[in-house]
Amino acid sequence: MALHQIITSLLSEDAYKFSMGQAIFHQFSDYKTTWSWKCRNTDVHFTSEMVEEIKRQVQLFCNLRFSEDELSYLDSIRWIKGSYVDFLRLWHPRYEDFTIGTDAPCGLSIEAHGTWLNTSMYEIPILAIVNEVYFRLNYHYEDLLSQFKRKLEEKIQKLIDGTYSLGSFSEFGLRRRLSEEAQDLAVKMLAEKNSAFADSKFVGTSNVFLAKKYGVTPVGTMAHEWIMCSGQGNHKHNPAYSNWYALDAWVKEYGILNGTALTDTITTDCFLKDFQLTYATLFSGVRHDSGDPYEWGEKMLSHYEKLGIDPKTKTLLFSDSLDFERATALYRYFRDKARVAFGIGTYISNDTDEEALNIVMKVTKCNGQDVAKISDVIGKGMCKNADYVDYLNRCIKWRMENDNHTQIR
C-alpha cells in the first residue's frame, strides 16, 4: 500500500538542524559521520511492506530541493547567514547515503553514512517517515486521528481554563508525530487559541515548515550530536572536554545569538566544569534533557549564583518526556527563580490511545571514531563500542576527580 508523500518540504526539519548545520558548514565541513537508527520498543515489529514503503518515502525525500521562497524565509532568521543559505540552494539529500534493511530484532534497520553536513539533516525526516508509515499501516489511521483530535481539544481547553499553567512552551514533536496532518493540526490550534490561554504562552515549534506556515517562532539551538562530534570527532581531543570545544565553536559562530546550551551530553556535572563565567554570561540559558528535572534546575540555579549571575536573567528550558501536567508542576516550582520554558514533543504530536514509538537515530561514529553520549540517566546512549564508552567514562571520572582548574571560558 503506497502512501502519500510524507515529507514534502526540506523545511520539515527541526530548527536546531539549521543552527548546527550552519556551524558545521563554516567549521566542520570535512567531518564524516555514521548515524544508526534504533527502536527501543520491545514489542514492535516492522513488516516487509512497511520497510519497502519506508524506502520509497526516503527516496521521495531525497528528490526534494529548497524553493526560493523557503530560502528567503531562512535568510530572514536573524542568526542565519547568507553563505549558508547559498549552500542550501545547492544542497539536497542523497539516497546513496542510506542503508535500509531488515536485519534488526524489530524488522527494520537504518544507517546513514556521509559528511556531517549531509547526515545531520537526515535524522528528523527519517524518524517522521518511520513513525507515519508504522501508524498508518499498523492501525486504522482514522481512528487514531479521531483519538488525537479529542485529546488535543481537551488539552487546549485546560490551557484556556488554567488547569494547565506552563508559562512559555513550544511544540517539539516532529520526530515522533502521528502524522504530518496531526502535527499541523496541533500547531494550528495552539497558535489560534494562544491568546485565550490563562497562564500559558505558545511561542513556537521546532518544525521550521510549520513555523513558517503559521507565523510562529522556529525554536531550537543545539543537539547532543553537536557536542559529540565537535568534541569527540577530533582524535586529538580529550573527550572529557567535549563541552568546552562545543561551546567555543558555538560562540565563534553565533556570539551572543542563538544561545541555549545543552548540558547532559557527558553529564551535567562535567558540563559545569566548562560552563564558567564567559559562557554562562553569553548563553541565554540551558536545556534539560535527562535526569531529575528538579535536581537539575536547582543545580543550575546554584551554579549561576556562584558565578555572580542572577538566575532570573537566564532560561531553564525543560524538554525531557514532558506532558502538560509535569510541565505545570515544574513551572510553578521554578517560575519565581528563573525564566522557565518547555519543549514538549510526543505528548502534543502523537497522543492517542496507542503507545507511541520510542525510536531514535543517533550519531555513532565521527571521522571513523566511536562517539558516545553519557547522559544523566542510564539507557539513552547508542555507542556500539563498549570499550569506547568505558574509556569516555574513565576520562570523565579522572577529570571530575583531578581537574580543579576553573575555566574562564
Side-chain angles (χ1 to χ4, degrees):
M1 175 183 175
L3 303 177
H4 66 281
Q5 184 168 348
I6 292 172
I7 302 296
T8 58
S9 167
L10 292 180
L11 284 187
S12 293
E13 183 71 86
D14 276 349
Y16 67 17
K17 288 296 185 176
F18 293 106
S19 298
M20 293 184 293
Q22 177 170 284
I24 294 166
F25 173 63
H26 289 141
Q27 300 183 54
F28 303 102
S29 60
D30 59 340
Y31 275 32
K32 293 186 177 180
T33 55
T34 297
W35 290 71
S36 304
W37 178 92
K38 182 179 181 180
C39 180
R40 291 171 174 163
N41 305 76
T42 57
D43 58 347
V44 165
H45 180 72
F46 290 85
T47 65
S48 58
E49 180 189 16
M50 292 177 186
V51 174
E52 290 306 308
E53 180 60 21
I54 288 166
K55 289 180 180 178
R56 191 181 75 87
Q57 291 289 340
V58 174
Q59 289 176 322
L60 292 173
F61 161 66
C62 290
N63 290 332
L64 294 173
R65 302 292 186 273
F66 283 103
S67 70
E68 285 302 314
D69 179 62
E70 291 170 336
L71 292 169
S72 294
Y73 175 77
L74 290 173
D75 199 33
S76 72
I77 297 173
R78 187 181 181 191
W79 42 264
I80 291 285
K81 299 174 182 176
S83 57
Y84 182 53
V85 174
D86 278 344
F87 163 74
L88 291 178
R89 184 170 281 110
L90 303 174
W91 183 82
H92 66 88
R94 284 170 30 92
Y95 190 71
E96 295 80 4
D97 290 343
F98 292 95
T99 303
I100 304 174
T102 59
D103 54 340
C106 68
L108 172 66
S109 60
I110 305 174
E111 282 203 336
H113 310 266
T115 63
W116 190 14
L117 269 172
N118 275 5
T119 52
S120 175
M121 299 290 282
Y122 299 159
E123 174 195 0
I124 307 303
I126 296 306
L127 292 174
I129 285 170
V130 171
N131 259 292
E132 187 158 349
V133 168
Y134 177 80
F135 283 105
R136 283 187 179 272
L137 297 188
N138 199 51
Y139 297 96
H140 191 279
Y141 171 75
E142 293 303 326
D143 289 345
L144 293 182
L145 186 63
S146 178
Q147 296 162 17
F148 174 84
K149 290 178 178 178
R150 169 177 53 82
K151 293 190 174 193
L152 177 62
E153 289 170 357
E154 291 171 356
K155 292 167 193 168
I156 288 178
Q157 182 55 46
K158 290 182 179 180
L159 289 171
I160 292 172
D161 67 26
T163 301
Y164 295 135
S165 177
L166 309 182
S168 297
F169 74 99
S170 302
E171 187 276 330
F172 275 20
L174 172 54
R175 71 188 61 206
R176 293 179 187 150
R177 67 189 184 185
L178 172 64
S179 64
E180 187 278 335
E181 179 182 19
Q183 189 188 20
D184 187 291
L185 178 63
V187 173
K188 179 177 185 289
M189 290 185 66
L190 288 168
E192 288 178 350
K193 301 293 185 179
N194 196 19
S195 61
F197 296 159
D199 190 25
S200 304
K201 182 180 181 182
F202 176 63
V203 297
T205 173
S206 64
N207 185 331
V208 180
F209 176 82
L210 292 181
K212 177 180 182 293
K213 182 176 181 179
Y214 292 111
V216 298
T217 302
V219 181
T221 303
M222 67 176 69
H224 297 99
E225 68 174 278
W226 174 253
I227 298 96
M228 292 164 69
C229 292
S230 63
Q232 300 172 41
N234 186 325
H235 300 189
K236 297 177 182 179
H237 289 175
N238 180 336
Y241 292 80
S242 293
N243 288 302
W244 185 90
Y245 291 108
L247 294 169
D248 185 62
W250 198 264
V251 169
K252 286 178 181 175
E253 185 68 31
Y254 292 112
I256 64 171
L257 297 176
N258 203 25
T260 301
L262 181 58
T263 71
D264 70 331
T265 306
I266 54 171
T267 76
T268 293
D269 288 340
C270 194
F271 168 84
L272 294 179
K273 283 278 191 180
D274 294 311
F275 197 62
Q276 294 298 320
L277 185 58
T278 298
Y279 291 138
T281 300
L282 288 174
F283 281 80
S284 60
V286 285
R287 177 160 75 92
H288 170 266
D289 200 52
S290 66
D292 185 288
Y294 295 93
E295 292 180 6
W296 175 87
E298 289 292 349
K299 184 178 292 186
M300 295 310 308
L301 295 176
S302 176
H303 186 72
Y304 280 125
E305 289 168 352
K306 287 177 182 177
L307 295 174
I309 296 172
D310 182 357
K312 292 182 179 180
T313 66
K314 298 297 180 179
T315 298
L316 303 182
L317 172 59
F318 296 91
S319 64
D320 182 30
S321 303
L322 293 172
D323 57 28
F324 285 173
E325 184 175 349
R326 285 193 285 270
T328 294
L330 285 164
Y331 177 64
R332 289 173 176 167
Y333 183 87
F334 285 108
R335 63 183 172 186
D336 295 327
K337 303 177 181 182
R339 297 173 181 170
V340 182
F342 301 97
I344 303 176
T346 308
Y347 176 73
I348 294 178
S349 70
N350 194 0
D351 188 11
T352 71
D353 295 340
E354 301 298 334
E355 181 183 7
L357 289 182
N358 187 355
I359 59 174
V360 292
M361 192 169 180
K362 302 289 187 182
V363 60
T364 49
K365 286 183 180 290
C366 185
N367 297 329
Q369 175 171 287
D370 295 287
V371 294
K373 178 176 75 166
I374 310 293
S375 66
D376 292 335
V377 293
I378 297 172
K380 283 202 166 187
M382 272 189 60
C383 182
K384 298 181 179 181
N385 186 341
D387 289 339
Y388 179 75
V389 174
D390 177 66
Y391 163 69
L392 177 55
N393 273 311
R394 286 187 288 112
C395 288
I396 295 170
K397 184 175 184 291
W398 186 94
R399 184 179 182 195
M400 296 305 297
E401 294 176 352
N402 296 279
D403 181 5
N404 297 315
H405 175 65
T406 299
Q407 301 283 333
I408 297 303
R409 288 190 63 184

